[in-house]
Amino acid sequence: MLGKRTYLLVAVLAIAVVVVALTFLVFKPLTGPATTKRVVTYAYRDAITGVDPSVEDDTGIMILHLVYETLLRYDPKTGGYSYVLAKSVEKVNDTVWRIVLRDDARFHDGSPVTAYDVNFSIWRTKLVYEELGRGLGYIWECVNSTKVLDDKTIEIVTSYPCDIRPTLAAAYGAFIYSKNVLKLSGISDIVSEELITWFNKGNELGSGPYKIVKYEPENEVVLEKFSDWWGWKEINNPNAPDTIIIKIVEDPGEQERLLRSGGIDIASSVPRSSIKVLKDSGFGVVVADTFHNFILMFNTRRCPTNITDVRKAIAYAIPWDSIVEQSLMGYGKKGSGLIPYGFPGYSSKWALKQDLDKARQLLSKANAPCELRLEMVITQGYEEEEAFAKLLKAELQKIGVDLEIKALPWEQMKSLGQSVWEKPEEAPHLIINDWWPTYLIPYDYFSLLECLEPEKGVINYWNWAGYCNKEFDEVLSKAYEKSLESLEESLPLYEEVQKIVFDDMPAVNLWDMQHIYVYNQQRIRFRDGAFNSLYTYTVFFQYVEVLK
């Protein structure tokens, strides 16, 4: 005979079964097995400066190449180009290029990528630069007109013989996005500041493997996988991240702490002194070659660095054979001319050697009419700049030059560098400008010293040296025009440009960077293709595997 306790137990069990069943039905997906999203958290050092695909020219590069796509991509293995949104790029004649788009590319709203969208993207980028002076639309300078032949075919007509391929694969200003952004934003003027603001709120309509779902540029950016991206079936990476969390962590020490505690999976900027210890502890380390260099610029409009021999004396005081080891812990290459190693036009002939006797002779010859007391500004949190500055200070003391070092946040440092034009006495004598290219044209590096026409109010605000030399500008202009037609034929002209820089010494390349990524190799694996020397700081996460 069943007692009350037995009936009570049966009732409780029945209720439990119902609860479990309901829970299973509520939380179990209606189709397919339960899946866990693959999430990767990546720490980056600097705030994101913008994500307008036609305007951004700085740190937004690391987001843009995941959300948007270009027609071609530079291939560091061959030095040529691979196809992305384009499936063919044909030179019809000296001034006409025909581009045929791949058939399977779609934007994040599901609409197909068409030649009309390519046409729209090219002209907005070009016009925003020409009318507002925003972005890097000069890369489309040789374009005279475009003609859409059908949904998948567009012809670009240039004003003169011009190889359009470096532009199609550029790091900035070459992104393709949907013309439907006008409908989505409710803004009809393609060159308006309002549309730039709309993009820089995190709105987008690209075709890349990831979509922006959260955009707080000073704190965190979150990207989610675009399942309809055409490339998934080609690269066959089922373990690619479903969600990418990019955390802005300025302090390298904090990046290391987060990596060790599991708060992040990949760190872009741990202290270099910690890399070996982290590797010995089981973390993975990737050393990526880049075209990113650090250029020491001299204030040519303030005494004593307005004297050529003083600038050369400082350059010869630098301990060139040890700065990479001491400032970068060996992760980089000594600079030789303004063009970095591996980039078209690079030559080892411009490399300097330390010569303190020569430095003293140059200072004596200069006979500067002011004190040999210099101010140097470096970027706060950049340990390589801090290490170099301390090294330089010690060497300059040996030749009777005092150096005061100030570390400032990037935006404040940038403002001081630009002040060389209006207030040269307030701008530092020495400042380091780290630089990476827009596209595979040597002009990009020498453009830092282009004077333009300051007397007419046309100022190059990246020229923190305040350097003006008409001969330099003229030869650089010829080299630039020639390089658009034929990169190979332009290289002798760039040699002439480099010689002028060497003789005048308004700036000197300290080193070419290697970027170090330290990661939890129990969770992450990098495939070939995750890094590309032209697209600085970009991790192509479609080539990253999340293991668990």
Side-chain angles (χ1 to χ4, degrees):
M1 185 175 190
L2 296 174
K4 290 182 179 180
R5 290 173 61 89
T6 304
Y7 282 112
L8 182 60
L9 178 61
V10 170
V12 169
L13 288 171
I15 292 171
V17 169
V18 171
V19 170
V20 169
L22 286 173
T23 301
F24 181 79
L25 288 173
V26 170
F27 290 101
K28 182 181 183 296
L30 293 179
T31 58
T35 58
T36 302
K37 280 194 171 184
R38 294 178 175 84
V39 180
V40 60
T41 305
Y42 169 56
Y44 181 66
R45 179 160 63 177
D46 298 312
I48 307 303
T49 50
V51 285
D52 185 325
S54 287
V55 172
E56 174 58 11
D57 62 359
D58 203 346
T59 58
I61 186 173
M62 62 174 298
I63 307 294
L64 292 174
H65 281 280
L66 296 171
V67 176
Y68 300 95
E69 294 178 286
T70 51
L71 292 162
L72 298 177
R73 182 173 296 150
Y74 170 68
D75 184 344
K77 288 185 176 178
T78 66
Y81 302 98
S82 57
Y83 293 113
V84 186
L85 286 178
K87 71 176 181 182
S88 71
V89 176
E90 176 191 359
K91 182 180 179 181
V92 179
N93 57 49
D94 283 348
T95 58
V96 178
W97 291 80
R98 183 176 297 138
I99 300 165
V100 179
L101 302 176
R102 60 186 316 120
D103 299 318
D104 51 355
R106 293 188 171 276
F107 291 114
H108 294 161
D109 64 352
S111 61
V113 176
T114 72
Y116 297 97
D117 300 298
V118 173
N119 190 61
F120 171 79
S121 302
I122 290 172
W123 283 103
R124 178 170 180 260
T125 302
K126 184 174 169 64
L127 292 173
V128 165
Y129 174 76
E130 292 174 354
E131 296 184 19
L132 299 182
R134 303 286 299 275
L136 297 167
Y138 70 84
I139 66 172
W140 299 101
E141 181 181 312
C142 68
V143 174
N144 180 58
S145 63
T146 53
K147 184 179 181 181
V148 175
L149 302 183
D150 57 47
D151 274 1
K152 293 296 181 181
T153 311
I154 184 172
E155 284 188 348
I156 295 177
V157 181
T158 61
S159 301
Y160 43 84
C162 178
D163 187 349
I164 202 67
R165 291 173 299 175
T167 295
L168 302 183
Y172 296 97
F175 298 107
I176 305 305
Y177 49 99
S178 173
K179 62 185 185 304
N180 289 336
V181 295
L182 298 181
K183 185 186 298 183
L184 191 62
S185 67
I187 299 167
S188 59
D189 184 356
I190 66 171
V191 297
S192 67
E193 290 285 351
E194 288 80 8
L195 188 53
I196 295 172
T197 299
W198 181 82
F199 274 111
N200 283 335
K201 287 180 179 178
N203 296 303
E204 53 92 353
L205 201 48
S207 62
Y210 291 92
K211 303 182 290 185
I212 298 175
V213 296
K214 178 182 179 181
Y215 184 67
E216 295 177 4
E218 295 184 354
N219 300 301
E220 184 176 278
V221 179
V222 179
L223 308 176
E224 283 194 357
K225 187 178 183 179
F226 176 45
S227 58
D228 288 335
W229 179 53
W230 61 267
W232 293 125
K233 60 181 177 292
E234 292 195 8
I235 65 173
N236 188 27
N237 181 14
N239 295 324
D242 297 301
T243 302
I244 304 164
I245 301 172
I246 300 170
K247 291 184 176 292
I248 308 304
V249 183
E250 295 182 0
D251 179 30
E254 178 63 8
Q255 285 202 21
E256 180 183 355
R257 188 193 69 77
L258 287 169
L259 187 66
R260 289 183 178 278
S261 67
I264 61 174
D265 303 304
I266 307 168
S268 64
S269 303
V270 300
R272 282 180 173 78
S273 57
S274 299
I275 293 173
K276 185 180 184 304
V277 175
L278 286 165
K279 190 173 183 178
D280 291 343
S281 300
F283 289 95
V285 176
V286 171
V287 181
D289 288 328
T290 75
F291 295 142
H292 179 197
N293 60 4
F294 278 59
I295 298 172
L296 180 65
M297 307 190 80
F298 300 98
N299 184 341
T300 64
R301 299 159 65 85
R302 179 183 178 187
C303 190
T305 47
N306 62 339
I307 303 170
T308 302
D309 284 337
V310 171
R311 299 194 295 271
K312 288 185 174 181
I314 296 168
Y316 280 107
I318 295 171
W320 289 99
D321 290 338
S322 62
I323 58 171
V324 168
E325 190 60 43
Q326 295 194 39
S327 300
L328 305 177
M329 305 294 289
Y331 295 105
K333 294 180 175 67
K334 181 178 74 171
S336 175
L338 296 192
I339 299 175
Y341 180 84
F343 198 87
Y346 169 83
S347 173
S348 60
K349 69 186 284 185
W350 306 110
L352 291 168
K353 290 274 190 182
Q354 185 183 46
D355 190 334
L356 294 179
D357 288 337
K358 187 169 185 175
R360 293 186 186 97
Q361 291 169 11
L362 287 164
L363 284 180
S364 177
K365 179 184 171 185
N367 193 25
C370 57
E371 285 187 300
L372 294 178
R373 297 180 63 85
L374 307 177
E375 296 176 3
M376 180 179 186
V377 171
I378 60 175
T379 310
Q380 196 173 73
Y382 278 42
E383 59 171 334
E384 61 270 29
E385 291 190 19
E386 181 180 350
F388 169 74
K390 290 179 178 177
L391 194 62
L392 180 61
K393 180 182 177 71
E395 297 302 310
L396 288 178
Q397 285 177 343
K398 296 176 183 178
I399 60 170
V401 178
D402 292 328
L403 181 66
E404 178 187 355
I405 304 164
K406 293 181 181 178
L408 299 173
W410 165 246
E411 286 301 326
Q412 192 175 342
M413 176 178 165
K414 181 178 177 181
S415 178
L416 266 180
Q418 294 173 346
S419 71
V420 72
W421 294 101
E422 286 85 15
K423 300 175 181 178
E425 292 300 319
E426 296 180 15
H429 294 99
L430 306 175
I431 191 167
I432 296 177
N433 193 351
D434 66 307
W435 197 254
W436 56 82
T438 304
Y439 59 164
L440 211 68
I441 300 289
Y443 164 80
D444 210 309
Y445 292 92
F446 295 111
S447 68
L448 285 173
L449 296 172
E450 206 169 9
C451 185
L452 302 182
E453 297 177 298
E455 67 281 356
K456 296 181 181 179
V458 183
I459 297 171
N460 177 6
Y461 280 109
W462 285 111
N463 183 348
W464 296 351
Y467 176 66
C468 279
N469 181 326
K470 287 185 178 180
E471 181 191 6
F472 171 88
D473 283 0
E474 288 171 1
V475 180
L476 179 60
S477 179
K478 290 177 184 177
Y480 172 61
E481 290 172 7
K482 192 64 180 176
S483 60
L484 295 181
E485 179 183 350
S486 170
L487 178 57
E488 191 65 32
E489 292 178 19
S490 71
L491 297 183
L493 283 169
Y494 283 112
E495 276 279 293
E496 291 183 37
V497 176
Q498 180 58 63
K499 185 177 187 309
I500 296 170
V501 175
F502 188 83
D503 290 341
D504 283 358
M505 203 68 73
V508 62
N509 178 23
L510 299 172
W511 57 71
D512 306 326
M513 288 280 285
Q514 288 176 314
H515 290 175
I516 315 303
Y517 299 88
V518 185
Y519 62 98
N520 181 345
Q521 58 183 347
Q522 301 303 314
R523 293 203 68 242
I524 301 297
R525 180 186 295 131
F526 291 104
R527 284 189 179 186
D528 187 36
F531 306 100
N532 188 308
S533 50
L534 183 62
Y535 310 103
T536 303
Y537 284 122
T538 300
V539 179
F540 290 92
F541 278 96
Q542 61 267 40
Y543 295 102
V544 172
E545 295 182 47
V546 182
L547 304 179
K548 63 179 180 179

